[in-house]
Amino acid sequence: MKRILSGIKPSGELNIGGYSGALSQFVRNQEQFDCFYFIPDLHAITVYQDPKELRQRSRELAALYVAAGIDPKRSAIFLQSQVSAHAELGWLMETQAHFGELSRMTQFKDKSDGKDVVSSALFTYPALMAADILLYQATHVPVGEDQKQHVELTRDLANRFNNRYGETFIVPEPIIQETGARIMGLDDPSSKMSKSNPNVSSYILMLDEPAVIRKKFSRAVTDSDMSVRYDWENKPAVSNLIEIYSVFSDMDIPAVEKHFEGQGYGNFKKEIAEVVISKLEPIQQKFHDIVDSAELDAILRDGAERAAAVANETLTKAKQNMGFLVL
Ligand code: TYM
């Protein structure tokens, strides 16, 4: 059976980059895979999180999963911190990861760059991410481009473990979609769209109001020649907007180019705001209905139970194979 494990950290409000690279794929993949979608809250705390905000964001993200179309009857939705096998296998995987490997992770390099102090967990984080995936014997991991390196490390760690201790884990494959796997900032097409950018106009949040979305797109940077053409080398800002349009309209790139042939940027920016709004409005509506409901608690409790059943079985197998007494 083909199985998926993936998740989005509750360390900031979700922007449309995370929707494009991850959440929209999560929804689509339910058709073909047995899916486990979690909120990696243990990952979020690798940088300080205000406890009240962490609680609120974790809830909001779970509500967004459901509102975007993850069906909790079909797919397990759960919080990482509710399934203790993650922390436990995370430690075992730390013993398999090499210091040099972890030092080469670009996300660690980016996040620690210029900081006087970073937590040791920020450094060992990819070992926990490997544990997340391996616990579910996932065959596939849908992620955006920036997580590819971590999934590759997971593959290396799974192979190393299997070679040392006998077949224990399935070696997973990343799924990275062709369009929308790396959405860039609206202010600068050379850096990833991210909530950590101090310029709020650089990103669109999933919960932004229509008026805000229109304003942000109207301010988006474009390129010097006036055509709506997909060409990352010469027209990165417009190519980024075309990818966003494609993800939110379900039109492929050539169809988007054709649609805007002979038109200038003004109309393009207006239309892109409208396709994004029309996709986000029903999601926002559903989000508000569910975010404070007891139904959401029930979904997360049920998801954690289903997840723990699978995760604990793998953990026991890994411990047994490593030589722990399992009584
Ligand atoms: P995180 O929380 O930074 O991002 C969640 C997912 O969204 C994708 N993404 C983007 N895709 C396209 N354009 C963007 N601008 C953009 N920003 C974010 C990310 O690639 C990711 O797929 N380590 C992971 C969370 C994690 C995880 C896991 C994922 C922990 N354990 C196990 C998969 C499996 C992270 O920090 O993603």
Side-chain angles (χ1 to χ4, degrees):
M1 189 196 357
K2 292 195 294 178
R3 184 178 281 162
I4 272 178
L5 177 286
S6 198
I8 300 171
K9 279 195 313 281
S11 47
E13 288 160 86
L14 187 61
N15 68 52
I16 60 167
Y19 175 78
S20 169
L23 187 52
S24 65
Q25 282 211 74
F26 295 179
V27 175
R28 266 200 313 278
N29 285 324
Q30 295 181 105
E31 304 289 328
Q32 293 166 36
F33 296 86
D34 175 24
C35 299
F36 289 82
Y37 292 128
F38 78 133
I39 315 273
D41 48 3
L42 297 176
H43 285 269
I45 57 164
T46 53
V47 293
Y48 174 75
Q49 303 292 324
D50 174 75
K52 234 168 90 194
E53 278 179 26
L54 178 63
R55 239 185 314 272
Q56 183 58 20
R57 289 214 194 102
S58 301
R59 239 198 129 71
E60 288 182 1
L61 198 48
L64 274 174
Y65 279 15
V66 178
I70 297 178
D71 174 2
K73 288 201 196 72
R74 213 189 234 185
S75 308
I77 302 176
F78 62 100
L79 298 162
Q80 185 184 28
S81 58
Q82 298 273 296
V83 180
S84 57
H86 286 257
E88 199 172 345
L89 188 65
W91 174 251
L92 303 187
M93 296 318 291
E94 275 189 46
T95 68
Q96 303 304 300
H98 300 162
F99 186 87
E101 272 168 339
L102 295 175
S103 311
R104 284 194 293 277
M105 293 294 120
T106 42
Q107 192 174 48
F108 174 72
K109 287 197 255 180
D110 290 349
K111 289 200 168 179
S112 57
D113 189 36
K115 300 238 165 69
D116 289 339
V117 176
V118 291
S119 75
S120 49
L122 187 69
F123 183 69
T124 56
Y125 163 121
L128 179 60
M129 177 158 164
D132 299 335
I133 298 166
L134 300 177
L135 275 176
Y136 297 89
Q137 304 289 10
T139 53
H140 294 83
V141 188
V143 283
E145 186 66 43
D146 65 328
Q147 292 299 317
K148 189 171 165 207
Q149 195 185 29
H150 290 158
V151 180
E152 273 161 7
L153 177 70
T154 302
R155 292 171 56 83
D156 291 343
L157 298 184
N159 279 318
R160 190 171 302 155
F161 193 104
N162 289 345
N163 288 334
R164 278 186 182 150
Y165 302 111
E167 275 310 305
T168 309
F169 299 122
I170 290 194
V171 181
E173 310 248 352
I175 311 181
I176 297 167
Q177 55 195 15
E178 254 173 56
T179 305
R182 190 170 173 77
I183 298 294
M184 310 310 269
L186 299 182
D187 59 337
D188 172 8
S190 68
S191 70
K192 193 184 81 157
M193 182 178 285
S194 160
K195 179 69 202 307
S196 53
N197 187 329
N199 174 4
V200 296
S201 291
S202 69
Y203 51 77
I204 308 275
L205 297 176
M206 291 296 285
L207 299 176
D208 272 347
E209 305 260 337
V212 173
I213 296 176
R214 288 189 188 103
K215 193 148 114 208
K216 287 182 176 175
F217 276 118
S218 75
R219 289 186 180 158
V221 296
T222 44
D223 307 288
S224 50
D225 98 76
M226 291 301 279
S227 60
V228 179
R229 195 160 44 79
Y230 188 68
D231 172 355
W232 271 102
E233 201 156 310
N234 301 307
K235 296 173 67 67
V238 168
S239 301
N240 187 42
L241 293 175
I242 291 177
E243 288 215 17
I244 295 173
Y245 192 97
S246 166
V247 168
F248 281 86
S249 66
D250 296 320
M251 273 161 81
D252 62 19
I253 304 272
V256 178
E257 284 180 297
K258 192 147 195 299
H259 181 73
F260 290 104
E261 209 170 79
Q263 296 187 37
Y265 294 148
N267 191 48
F268 175 47
K269 285 181 170 186
K270 278 200 188 106
E271 271 201 44
I272 188 173
E274 296 315 312
V275 292
V276 171
I277 290 166
S278 63
K279 185 73 117 200
L280 293 187
E281 267 188 331
I283 296 178
Q284 294 178 351
Q285 178 69 48
K286 179 100 202 273
F287 167 87
H288 290 297
D289 292 346
I290 192 171
V291 66
D292 292 318
S293 69
E295 189 192 342
L296 187 63
D297 296 88
I299 288 171
L300 291 172
R301 245 183 257 120
D302 172 64
E305 228 172 83
R306 281 153 66 189
V310 177
N312 290 338
E313 197 181 312
T314 310
L315 177 64
T316 302
K317 185 169 158 192
K319 286 172 77 175
Q320 232 154 10
N321 291 355
M322 269 185 125
F324 289 101
L325 277 171
V326 177
L327 304 171

